[in-house]
Amino acid sequence: MNFSSLSNELKVYNINGVFVLLGVLSGFFTSAKAQSVNTSEIYKKNYEKARKLRHKYPDSTKIFANRALLSASNNDQRAEVYCLLGKMAKAQEWNNTAIHYYQQSLKLYTNETSKNKVRLAMIAPYRRQKKYNTALRLARWVTKHAEKKGELGNLKNSYSSLGNVFYNLSQADTFSIKWIDSSLHYHRKSIELRKKYFPRTQAMAYYNSSFAYEAISPDSAIHYTQLALQQPNLETYHKALYNIRLAQIYYKKKAFKFGKYYLNKAQQIHYQDLNLQNMYWFYKAMIALFQQNIREVKQGFNKYDSVISLLRNNAQNMADQKGLTEMIREDYQDACNAAMQMYKRTKNEVYLGLINQYKIKKQQASKKYIRTHLLIEKQDSLLLSKVYSTAELRMTKPTLETQLSNENTQRWIFWGIMIILIMLGGIVWWYQLQQKQAMPPPAEQPQLMITNQKLNTKLLSSLAEQNEFEKILSLLNTHLGNDTLKHYTQNLPNDVTLSAQEKVYLKLLSEGFSQWEIGQMLNKNKRSIIEWDKKLKQKLNKVQ
């Protein structure tokens, strides 16, 4: 017997067997991959349909979301679907249902960054339910994690959320000054962060902070709204919004002349948004009411009612109708109070007719508000009970078992091929693995520093009382740099010099602090600050 020929035949047989095995495994893997690609396309298609319909058609959104859940291939995709359902429920003001969907999403997401985005989204439903402590706890959790990991996108939103929650607490608490201080603190941190890394989002941050300032310093609220209006590349909508906001602040200050001026500026901007038109006609009528222009008052509220009817026609769901009726109720309550003030002042019986008219409209809006609020709560409760009882939007048992079986098959095929490849190229693989293990760990990201928030205001105030303005200037240059001050002082002639006190004031002013804030930092009254400002402008005007 020829043993050498037998040995060669065995070698050929073994090599052919290996090639056959590789071919079979490759065929299985190719079919599994094709099935996976097909499933992925179905998921994307249904998810996109659900996303487009989430605001107007909640029932259709749930149908397509259910299909997306059935075709999802991993937990992150399922988490995205539940997060989308949470946004849908939040838009309908189904707050309990929204929280339920967001909690499901939190359980399924595998990375903390995505979880923090969900936690930020949960804050709004909790604020609507007036569960401010829960909302505050979520915002602080996200802030702590984002500061530790350097996630600037989540951090700017968490700062804004903290500012808004503290503002809500100030509205609910009689002793609100501590909440206002906290709200202003986080709004300033958000503004500083956006100024450095997200300059395009600065305007809305200034706008939001104006509401917190309004209660303690209307002048600062005006200052920050004007800063928002000065930002470049503003859209027409935002220009009109900020002008109307300025008119609103001046109206509350009883400065009706300035309020009318900014309303006229808003009118010159051609915008089609019905909500802005509604705000414009309301404040135009209210200012005319205090200026005793009855014809303009009637014209303004007639226009206001016309815009309201258009908004009612455009309301797509019960949540929109509820918000609209709540706004109408509050607006006519304010109008009724203003008309009562004018009647007491002038004893003109025309105002009595206006009072009766506004009371009737307010009562009508109140009835509609109560009715829509009860309907929304009923829908929310029914939907939530349906989710728990019938396991709506969850995969059925046979479908789940089939999908898990397919996933296990794909996993075994994948690892089988990987083992064969490792056996054929073991030396190269082991060498690459050793190189990866020998690589040094990535350097930790530097912690975020926001220098404007590190200022010790107590120290500044103490030094200002001792007239140690040179030391204050040195501290400010250390924390904030001296680039902005050089910009103003480098072209000064020899006969014009700035004192340390004026340099400190100019430095803080150029960093974006309002006169009211500078006075608080340096423990100076308004008259002193105005006197500083006047002297500084006189010196700078000499240079010009």
Side-chain angles (χ1 to χ4, degrees):
M1 177 180 288
N2 191 344
F3 289 100
S4 62
S5 62
L6 179 60
S7 176
N8 291 333
E9 289 178 2
L10 287 173
K11 290 179 180 178
V12 171
Y13 176 77
N14 289 335
I15 293 172
N16 289 336
V18 170
F19 280 118
V20 169
L21 179 61
L22 285 173
V24 171
L25 292 176
S26 299
F28 274 117
F29 180 72
T30 303
S31 62
K33 185 177 180 181
Q35 183 182 2
S36 176
V37 170
N38 187 33
T39 305
S40 177
E41 290 298 325
I42 293 173
Y43 167 80
K44 291 179 181 178
K45 182 179 178 181
N46 287 297
Y47 179 83
E48 189 62 25
K49 286 183 177 179
R51 189 187 66 81
K52 290 179 179 179
L53 298 172
R54 70 184 187 277
H55 289 299
K56 296 183 179 180
Y57 306 104
D59 292 334
S60 300
T61 301
K62 287 185 285 182
I63 292 172
F64 287 109
N66 188 23
R67 294 176 183 174
L69 275 177
L70 294 174
S71 56
S73 59
N74 55 57
N75 282 340
D76 282 330
Q77 289 184 346
R78 297 185 190 99
E80 285 181 355
V81 177
Y82 279 117
C83 187
L84 178 66
L85 287 168
K87 293 177 182 178
M88 177 272 297
K90 184 170 70 172
Q92 307 301 318
E93 291 198 23
W94 298 336
N95 297 317
N96 290 320
T97 307
I99 291 168
H100 165 75
Y101 285 135
Y102 284 137
Q103 287 173 343
Q104 293 295 319
S105 180
L106 276 177
K107 293 177 183 177
L108 293 171
Y109 266 128
T110 56
N111 65 84
E112 200 64 27
T113 301
S114 299
K115 288 184 177 183
N116 284 336
K117 290 180 180 179
V118 176
R119 291 185 181 106
L120 287 173
M122 292 174 70
I123 292 173
Y126 280 123
R127 285 174 61 200
R128 287 176 186 165
Q129 293 178 331
K130 297 185 178 179
K131 296 179 179 179
Y132 299 131
N133 289 332
T134 305
L136 187 60
R137 188 166 60 251
L138 283 171
R140 281 175 167 167
W141 173 279
V142 177
T143 301
K144 183 178 179 181
H145 181 270
E147 286 179 342
K148 183 178 179 181
K149 298 295 183 181
E151 296 173 358
L152 302 183
N154 281 340
L155 189 59
K156 67 177 173 61
N157 294 328
S158 68
Y159 283 155
S160 296
S161 296
L162 281 169
N164 293 333
V165 173
F166 280 122
Y167 175 72
N168 291 140
L169 287 169
S170 74
Q171 299 299 300
D173 191 355
T174 305
F175 304 98
S176 60
I177 189 65
K178 61 178 181 179
W179 304 124
I180 286 290
D181 288 342
S182 298
S183 178
L184 293 176
H185 172 71
Y186 283 106
H187 276 307
R188 284 203 59 83
K189 293 185 81 168
S190 177
I191 289 170
E192 186 64 26
L193 185 59
R194 292 169 193 269
K195 189 186 296 184
K196 288 184 178 179
Y197 303 104
F198 308 96
R200 293 186 178 181
T201 64
Q202 270 184 262
M204 190 54 67
Y206 285 132
Y207 172 76
N208 289 333
S209 64
S210 71
F211 290 93
Y213 277 106
E214 186 176 1
I216 57 172
S217 176
D219 291 337
S220 294
I222 291 170
H223 170 74
Y224 279 98
T225 309
Q226 288 175 338
L227 283 178
L229 198 55
Q230 293 167 8
Q231 297 305 304
N233 303 321
L234 286 180
E235 296 180 358
T236 302
Y237 170 84
H238 290 104
K239 289 180 181 178
L241 174 65
Y242 301 151
N243 276 295
I244 294 174
R245 171 65 180 149
L246 285 169
Q248 179 189 39
I249 300 171
Y250 278 115
Y251 162 75
K252 293 180 179 179
K253 283 186 65 178
K254 307 294 184 184
F256 303 120
K257 182 179 178 181
F258 290 103
K260 195 170 185 178
Y261 167 77
Y262 282 106
L263 283 178
N264 291 334
K265 286 189 69 174
Q267 189 181 24
Q268 295 170 5
I269 302 170
H270 298 286
Y271 55 90
Q272 302 297 325
D273 188 82
L274 291 176
N275 289 303
L276 290 181
Q277 293 181 27
N278 173 66
M279 293 168 63
Y280 169 82
W281 287 113
F282 173 74
Y283 284 108
K284 188 175 181 66
M286 293 295 286
I287 289 174
L289 186 64
F290 281 101
Q291 292 180 335
Q292 302 184 34
N293 190 340
I294 303 300
R295 184 181 62 82
E296 198 168 307
V297 171
K298 293 180 178 179
Q299 179 189 3
F301 275 111
N302 286 337
K303 291 283 189 179
Y304 175 85
D305 291 336
S306 300
V307 176
I308 287 295
S309 64
L310 292 175
L311 286 170
R312 278 203 182 101
N313 294 335
N314 292 343
Q316 299 288 340
N317 51 53
M318 297 300 295
D320 291 341
Q321 294 177 20
K322 176 190 171 184
L324 185 60
T325 53
E326 184 178 14
M327 178 190 68
I328 297 169
R329 182 183 66 173
E330 293 175 353
D331 286 350
Y332 275 112
Q333 179 63 52
D334 291 342
C336 189
N337 294 337
M340 180 64 72
Q341 290 179 30
M342 293 305 297
Y343 173 71
K344 290 179 179 179
R345 185 189 306 173
T346 63
K347 302 301 180 182
N348 189 342
E349 293 185 357
V350 174
Y351 290 108
L352 287 177
L354 293 177
I355 291 170
N356 292 330
Q357 181 183 348
Y358 299 155
K359 278 186 177 180
I360 292 171
K361 291 184 177 181
K362 178 209 163 188
Q363 289 171 357
Q364 292 173 349
S366 296
K367 290 178 181 178
K368 288 182 180 179
Y369 174 79
I370 293 170
R371 185 164 60 250
T372 53
H373 178 71
L374 292 174
L375 285 173
I376 288 174
E377 284 193 338
K378 183 179 179 181
Q379 289 178 353
D380 190 9
S381 300
L382 288 174
L383 181 61
L384 194 61
S385 63
K386 193 175 181 182
V387 169
Y388 281 120
S389 62
T390 63
E392 186 191 22
L393 297 173
R394 295 179 183 176
M395 293 178 286
T396 57
K397 189 174 180 180
T399 307
L400 180 60
E401 291 176 353
T402 303
Q403 184 165 353
L404 290 175
S405 176
N406 290 337
E407 289 180 357
N408 288 332
T409 303
Q410 294 175 19
R411 193 177 295 113
W412 280 110
I413 293 171
F414 173 78
W415 284 112
I417 294 177
M418 288 298 295
I419 290 172
I420 293 172
L421 291 175
I422 290 171
M423 290 174 63
L424 294 175
I427 297 175
V428 176
W429 179 265
W430 180 257
Y431 177 74
Q432 292 178 348
L433 184 62
Q434 291 296 322
Q435 281 188 330
K436 289 182 179 179
Q437 291 178 348
M439 289 177 65
E444 294 184 357
Q445 294 183 353
Q447 291 187 351
L448 184 68
M449 296 291 290
I450 300 177
T451 55
N452 283 23
Q453 305 307 322
K454 299 293 183 179
L455 293 177
N456 189 335
T457 54
K458 291 184 179 179
L459 178 60
L460 295 182
S461 178
S462 175
L463 290 174
E465 289 180 357
Q466 302 171 16
N467 289 324
E468 296 286 351
F469 288 97
E470 290 288 352
K471 292 184 179 179
I472 295 176
L473 186 61
S474 176
L475 281 173
L476 293 177
N477 288 335
T478 301
H479 285 281
L480 305 178
N482 57 359
D483 295 337
T484 54
L485 193 59
K486 284 183 178 179
H487 174 74
Y488 290 100
T489 58
Q490 62 185 356
N491 296 324
L492 287 175
N494 295 330
D495 60 335
V496 177
T497 58
L498 298 182
S499 65
Q501 175 181 285
E502 291 168 338
K503 288 180 181 179
V504 168
Y505 174 73
L506 180 60
K507 176 68 177 176
L508 292 173
L509 197 65
S510 62
E511 290 294 334
F513 291 94
S514 65
Q515 290 183 350
W516 179 84
E517 291 175 304
I518 295 172
Q520 293 294 312
M521 287 181 187
L522 303 179
N523 198 19
K524 299 294 180 182
N525 57 30
K526 187 175 181 180
R527 181 179 298 175
S528 299
I529 296 296
I530 291 174
E531 196 65 30
W532 291 3
D533 188 75
K534 184 178 178 181
K535 290 181 180 178
L536 182 63
K537 285 181 178 177
Q538 289 176 352
K539 290 186 177 181
L540 294 179
N541 286 335
K542 289 183 181 179
V543 179
Q544 296 176 354

